């Protein structure tokens, strides 16, 4: 005799599988199958002849100065921009969390860049950092020499500012959600011993939002790989070498229809992102073990 509970469980499993079929099909068609095709193309000499060449393409890409420059600039951008946006967003979120006068207005200001069209953002930055823009006018007013902001080493600073300005609003929202999840009773218990805001931050706030901090950190790292659109519109296909990123390398090979080189680049980028996320997860696991 069949168990009614077992029948119900099987029916629920089948129903769940049927509902998930569109997602599975989408994953196969748009992600897994193209990824397998990329791996195959990366091991051939061209898309027309498809002759197997092994890892020669990988060795060629790795030895390329252009690719190494793109990887170095991308890593440098992550190492500089991500800590800055994390610190800046947390400080702003802590101020907004206090719900001081006008906090709703300031919260809207920081969220505003998220809904602005990219073209409007770039136009604003071009007005500020152009050769005869506001930034150089300010330097002239101070008696300092003007800079070619968009075609010199200063272009890296401009891109970092653009990334922080464009993405900090999202991080602030996430930090505010994390801060609002902390039970008030913890602060009330600490207030019985001390009224120091620094101690509350160190012993209550930061430990309680640690899981959220990790998530925001991962999102911030991923968003650095999405900053190509702004850099592309701001400085074109071949910007100053200080902001020539992996995304520029990929886009230029795509425009040149070099699919083999493009496939190799895509596999290597996947490997880089995978290693980054793996390292972050490892740090989180070690941190949680020490905290426990």
């Amino acid at each position: 005799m069949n168990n009614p509970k077992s029948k119900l469980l099987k029916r629920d499993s089948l129903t769940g599988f049927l509902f998930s079929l569109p997602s599975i099909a989408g994953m196969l068609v748009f992600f897994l199958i193209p990824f397998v095709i990329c791996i195959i193309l990366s091991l051939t000499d061209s898309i027309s002849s498809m002759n197997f060449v092994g890892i020669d393409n990988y060795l060629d890409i790795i030895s390329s100065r252009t690719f190494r420059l793109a990887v170095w600039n991308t890593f440098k951008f992550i190492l500089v921009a991500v800590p800055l946006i994390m610190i800046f967003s947390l400080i702003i979120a802590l101020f907004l969390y206090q719900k001081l006068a006008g906090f709703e207005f300031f919260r809207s200001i920081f969220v505003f860049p998220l809904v602005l069209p990219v073209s409007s953002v770039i136009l604003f930055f071009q007005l500020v950092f152009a050769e005869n823009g506001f930034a150089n006018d300010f330097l002239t007013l101070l008696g300092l020499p003007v800079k070619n902001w968009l075609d010199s080493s200063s272009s890296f600073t401009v891109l970092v500012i653009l990334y922080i300005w464009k993405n900090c609003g999202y991080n602030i929202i996430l930090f505010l959600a994390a801060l609002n999840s902390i039970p008030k009773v913890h602060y009330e218990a600490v207030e019985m011993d001390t009224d120091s805001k620094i101690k509350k931050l160190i012993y209550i706030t930061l430990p309680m939002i640690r899981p959220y901090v990790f998530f925001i950190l991962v999102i911030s790292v991923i968003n650095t790989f999405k900053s190509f659109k702004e850099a592309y519109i701001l400085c074109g296909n071949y910007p100053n070498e200080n902001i020539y990123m992996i995304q520029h390398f990929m886009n230029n090979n795509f425009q040149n229809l070099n699919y083999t080189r493009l496939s190799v680049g895509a596999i290597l980028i996947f490997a880089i992102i995978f290693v980054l996320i793996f390292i972050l997860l490892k740090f989180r696991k070690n941190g949680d073990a020490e905290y426990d």
Side-chain angles (χ1 to χ4, degrees):
M1 186 175 180
N2 291 329
N3 190 342
K5 191 173 182 180
S6 177
K7 280 186 175 181
L8 184 63
L9 188 63
K10 287 181 180 178
R11 190 181 67 182
D12 288 345
S13 299
L14 180 61
T15 303
F17 176 73
L18 291 174
F19 275 110
S20 64
L21 270 179
S23 297
I24 295 171
M27 179 71 74
L28 285 171
V29 172
F30 296 108
F31 291 98
L32 295 181
I33 294 176
F35 187 71
V36 172
I37 293 172
C38 266
I39 294 174
I40 295 170
L41 281 176
S42 71
L43 300 172
T44 60
D45 58 349
S46 68
I47 194 172
S48 55
S49 59
M50 296 288 288
N51 294 319
F52 180 78
V53 295
I55 63 170
D56 288 352
N57 292 328
Y58 289 88
L59 296 175
D60 179 57
I61 290 286
I62 293 171
S63 63
S64 167
R65 178 190 175 275
T66 306
F67 181 75
R68 292 204 305 268
L69 175 67
V71 171
W72 164 244
N73 284 338
T74 302
F75 271 112
K76 184 172 69 171
F77 186 72
I78 292 172
L79 291 173
V80 173
V82 171
L84 286 176
I85 196 172
M86 292 290 291
I87 294 169
F88 182 74
S89 301
L90 178 59
I91 291 172
I92 298 299
L94 286 170
F95 276 111
L96 294 177
Y97 181 65
Q98 304 301 318
K99 296 186 178 179
L100 304 174
F103 86 97
E104 291 184 351
F105 171 73
F106 286 106
R107 184 174 59 187
S108 302
I109 287 177
F110 286 109
V111 175
F112 191 56
L114 293 174
V115 298
L116 280 176
V118 175
S119 55
S120 302
V121 175
I122 299 305
L123 179 60
F124 171 74
F125 271 78
Q126 285 176 338
L127 288 172
V128 173
F129 294 105
E131 205 168 325
N132 56 349
F134 298 131
N136 279 338
D137 289 343
F138 183 69
L139 291 176
T140 303
L141 189 65
L142 296 176
L144 299 173
V146 298
K147 293 184 178 183
N148 188 353
W149 291 95
L150 300 179
D151 194 18
S152 67
S153 58
S154 301
S155 58
F156 183 81
T157 304
V158 175
L159 191 61
V160 170
I161 294 171
L162 176 57
Y163 166 77
I164 293 173
W165 185 80
K166 188 79 172 63
N167 296 283
C168 73
Y170 184 60
N171 284 14
I172 289 170
I173 292 173
L174 295 176
F175 272 123
L176 282 173
L179 292 170
N180 284 315
S181 70
I182 302 174
K184 303 294 182 185
V185 66
H186 293 299
Y187 291 112
E188 292 170 359
V190 172
E191 285 172 358
M192 296 176 65
D193 296 326
T194 179
D195 209 18
S196 172
K197 291 184 178 181
I198 300 297
K199 288 186 176 181
K200 289 179 185 178
L201 176 66
I202 295 173
Y203 295 112
I204 301 295
T205 305
L206 294 180
M208 293 294 291
I209 66 171
R210 277 174 51 140
Y212 299 91
V213 170
F214 173 78
F215 173 74
I216 298 168
L217 178 62
V218 171
I219 292 296
S220 298
V221 171
I222 292 172
N223 283 337
T224 59
F225 288 91
K226 295 180 180 179
S227 60
F228 164 71
K229 183 166 54 178
E230 290 83 359
Y232 175 77
I233 299 174
L234 190 63
C235 299
N237 280 338
Y238 298 95
N240 183 272
E241 67 173 22
N242 288 279
I243 57 170
Y244 187 81
M245 305 290 183
I246 288 178
Q247 296 91 332
H248 287 97
F249 177 85
M250 297 291 292
N251 185 68
N252 293 340
N253 279 285
F254 178 75
Q255 290 187 342
N256 296 331
L257 302 180
N258 195 336
Y259 294 117
T260 301
R261 199 175 175 89
L262 186 66
S263 299
V264 175
I267 300 299
L268 290 175
I269 289 173
F270 168 78
I272 290 169
I273 296 175
F274 179 84
V275 169
L276 280 174
I277 301 301
F278 178 79
I279 292 171
L280 290 173
L281 285 169
K282 196 73 176 174
F283 273 115
R284 183 196 177 189
K285 185 178 180 180
N286 292 339
D288 289 344
E290 289 178 8
Y291 184 70
D292 292 338

